[in-house]
Amino acid sequence: MGLGPIFCSGRYRIRTDMKAPEHVTELLEPVIEGLGYECVGLEFQPGRREACLRVFIDAPAGITVDDCARVSHQVSGVLDVEDPIAGDYHLEVSSPGLDRPVFKPSDYTRFAGEAVRLRLRERIDGRRKITGRLEGLTDEGVAVESADGRFVVPLEAIDNAHIELEP
């Protein structure tokens, strides 16, 4: 794995009706996996001037600029044909980096034992952020052992999560 994210980008002009990000993930994930990469996840951030679609990819040997360019080329073709996002946006293809974002419920099991940082949509027990050791995914939610005790956070309450490097 490299020391940080690697980016390849392109600009696209697209329709005015926005489809759900889940549709974009369903559209792009098979293309990325067909190229031999893991689709870690996608982020769509609308902006005042221009939105950004970030595609995070990974592979056992890590990700290079050439890998990002290869995926960017293929993903661009699918986005041009399917046109799933409205308005102008910027495409970024990247490795997940060392501060790896968590997108899929299965990742909470996969990375059990690692340090994790959760940002919550609303306060739970007076907190909007929880950091600690990821215990995994339970029927009730994501279990984290922090310095302040054990928390179990429902998946729908998590705004975003990152696996953190340990010092």
Side-chain angles (χ1 to χ4, degrees), residues 77-138:
V78 172
L79 292 171
D80 287 344
V81 170
E82 296 294 330
D83 207 11
I85 302 173
D88 291 336
Y89 69 98
H90 188 76
L91 173 65
E92 295 180 358
V93 175
S94 170
S95 74
L98 297 177
D99 187 17
R100 184 186 184 106
V102 178
F103 292 96
K104 303 171 188 172
S106 62
D107 287 342
Y108 292 103
T109 301
R110 176 180 175 187
F111 294 108
E114 300 287 337
V116 68
R117 179 180 75 243
L118 305 178
R119 188 174 74 204
L120 310 178
R121 295 181 194 281
E122 297 178 4
R123 292 187 186 279
I124 294 179
D125 294 334
R127 303 172 136 237
R128 286 286 305 254
K129 295 178 184 176
I130 298 173
T131 58
R133 180 82 42 212
L134 177 62
E135 293 182 351
L137 186 62
T138 70

